[in-house]
Amino acid sequence: MASQLLFVPHLALIPKASPFHPSLFSTINPSFFHSTSAKRALKSSSDSRIINLKAVADTFSEIESNSANETTALTLREICQGFVPEHILHRIEEIGFVLPTEIQKEALPTLFTGRDCILHAQTGSGKTLTYLLHIFSLINPQRSSVQAVIVVPTRELGMQVTKVARMLAAKSDFDVKGCTVMALLDGGTLRRHKSWLKAEPPAILVATVASLCHMLEKHIFRLDSVRVLVLDEVDFLFYSSKQVGSVRKLLTSFSSCDKRQTVFASASIPQHKHFVHDCIQQKWTKRDVVHVHVSAIMPMPLCLLHRFVMCQKTNKHQMLLALLESDAPESAIIFVGEQSENEH
Ligand SMILES: Nc1ncnc2c1ncn2[C@@H]1O[C@H](COP(=O)(O)OP(=O)(O)OP(=O)(O)O)[C@@H](O)[C@H]1O
């Protein structure tokens, strides 16, 4: 397929639009805006940080059976109430996240029970917010230790995730200690991060594999305090021969930690049954790991025109520029990725 212009969904560049631009929401899932809000809320107290697994399971099965006859849908607040701190819930509502996406609705109740999870849903389906909300349900900002680690394959994705995490954790009117988010990404100067990690560990660490492994090898920080490890774009992490060895080592080290939870997120997991089996065999996840697979059921919107452009492999960049110039879109999302690790 050397002559095809190939856009690979590893890195989304979104010029002229913030990640929360309403026009993006409407292209992602217009049904969010047409559902009615739910009538029932969870009864758990909003500041309770202690999770009683049985209570969680009972609450959700009760809600499920009650809502079976209702046409209403639970809001994000109702799903997260009692797990995610109030100031974060307030924040997501301020941003405009009221109704959950399919993956949020399916995965959050499972994540709150503490089970390992594989979040498998298309790009733009809301996986990032899913695992971030769960992270906020677990961390204690009073504790001075790294409690959540999010591993990303690229610096760009790391910057996007950090931005969303910081936006959620931003200082609020609520009288609560904010939680810190550190981006430990390839290409940055690690010296400052080393002292920061030692002196004042952030609650959430967003890291690329190489930088994270460097810090672990130098004993700058340890995985012991980490409650949840998220591997985002896990297909890419495993696909990259540069990263896969370190990723496997990281997962194996984490598997020996107490009270750990491992979450994988990806738009595509080739041979997912095999992947789940492997995770259990290697003890990267517990045996009851849940594969939450949300497949796209919406047909492609009629307003979208799908075009393929054939070109020489060496001509891809010029072709892309020419297309951008001729179409002159007001905003665009360009998916790019290295086809081979020798190609730059
Ligand atoms: N509940 C929600 N309501 C409205 N918009 C949402 C909701 N959850 C996420 N979004 C928005 O949808 C967009 C895509 O979300 P997100 O980046 O979390 O998707 P993703 O599945 O992680 O994508 P990728 O596979 O590219 O990492 C973002 O702009 C985000 O702000």
Side-chain angles (χ1 to χ4, degrees), residues 28-333:
I28 287 153
N29 192 345
S31 65
F32 303 151
F33 303 99
H34 299 297
S35 330
T36 48
S37 60
K39 287 175 186 157
R40 293 204 54 217
L42 289 179
K43 291 187 188 111
S44 352
S45 98
S46 62
D47 56 2
S48 161
R49 306 297 290 277
I50 301 160
I51 300 174
N52 172 335
L53 293 189
K54 184 164 182 324
V56 175
D58 288 347
T59 312
F60 280 106
S61 58
E62 192 195 334
I63 287 169
E64 240 170 38
S65 63
N66 284 340
S67 59
N69 298 324
E70 292 180 19
T71 50
T72 51
L74 286 176
T75 59
L76 254 186
R77 167 177 283 277
E78 287 163 341
I79 292 175
C80 297
Q81 193 98 52
F83 304 104
V84 177
E86 180 53 34
H87 67 281
I88 302 285
L89 294 181
H90 188 78
R91 189 90 186 105
I92 58 171
E93 285 169 344
E94 265 179 1
I95 296 168
F97 299 157
V98 177
L99 293 174
T101 64
E102 216 37 49
I103 188 75
Q104 289 157 7
K105 196 166 69 185
E106 296 286 322
L108 281 166
T110 306
L111 286 168
F112 293 150
T113 65
R115 286 171 76 173
D116 295 332
C117 239
I118 299 168
L119 309 177
H120 186 177
Q122 68 194 80
T123 296
S125 55
K127 298 184 293 296
T128 310
L129 190 67
T130 309
Y131 66 67
L132 283 176
L133 284 173
H134 178 53
I135 286 174
F136 283 109
S137 80
L138 284 178
I139 53 179
N140 177 357
Q142 308 296 337
R143 200 178 298 153
S144 174
S145 59
V146 177
Q147 295 163 62
V149 173
I150 303 165
V151 181
V152 289
T154 60
R155 178 180 173 78
E156 290 72 16
L157 181 62
M159 278 157 42
Q160 285 178 34
V161 172
T162 307
K163 193 169 160 193
V164 181
R166 285 189 179 147
M167 185 162 50
L168 295 179
K171 235 181 146 18
S172 61
D173 298 338
F174 290 76
D175 189 19
V176 284
K177 189 173 185 287
C179 92
T180 42
V181 184
M182 181 197 277
L184 186 67
L185 306 172
D186 296 348
T189 49
L190 293 184
R191 202 174 327 137
R192 200 167 51 88
H193 288 84
K194 276 183 188 162
S195 17
W196 182 9
L197 262 174
K198 276 189 160 168
E200 222 180 313
I204 303 174
L205 185 62
V206 181
T208 40
V209 182
S211 303
L212 178 67
C213 290
H214 175 81
M215 293 298 183
L216 288 168
E217 276 156 22
K218 298 275 172 210
H219 304 290
I220 308 292
F221 98 103
R222 293 155 55 99
L223 289 173
D224 307 39
S225 60
V226 176
R227 298 280 311 276
V228 57
L229 173 68
V230 177
L231 283 95
D232 203 347
E233 304 271 15
V234 68
D235 59 331
F236 189 86
L237 288 169
F238 273 91
Y239 161 84
S240 157
S241 57
K242 268 189 217 157
Q243 308 194 46
V244 66
S246 308
V247 170
R248 293 172 79 94
K249 224 164 113 185
L250 175 70
L251 282 164
T252 304
S253 313
F254 191 59
S255 69
S256 60
C257 295
D258 282 346
K259 284 202 208 152
R260 46 122 184 169
Q261 187 178 17
T262 310
V263 179
F264 297 102
S266 187
S268 73
I269 302 182
Q271 298 186 307
H272 60 255
K273 283 192 184 147
H274 190 264
F275 179 72
V276 176
H277 180 259
D278 238 28
C279 286
I280 298 172
Q281 284 289 105
Q282 303 284 343
K283 298 200 167 61
W284 295 335
T285 63
K286 285 160 258 154
R287 299 197 75 79
D288 61 355
V289 56
V290 184
H291 176 215
V292 186
H293 189 184
V294 175
S295 39
I297 41 165
M298 283 211 313
M300 197 164 81
L302 289 174
C303 57
L304 279 186
L305 174 67
H306 214 160
R307 273 191 296 166
F308 291 91
V309 180
M310 308 290 282
C311 72
Q312 292 299 321
K313 200 174 175 187
T314 50
N315 226 8
K316 287 196 291 185
H317 293 145
Q318 287 94 316
M319 178 59 86
L320 176 59
L321 283 176
L323 283 174
L324 287 173
E325 265 172 34
S326 65
D327 287 6
E330 194 182 312
S331 58
I333 300 177

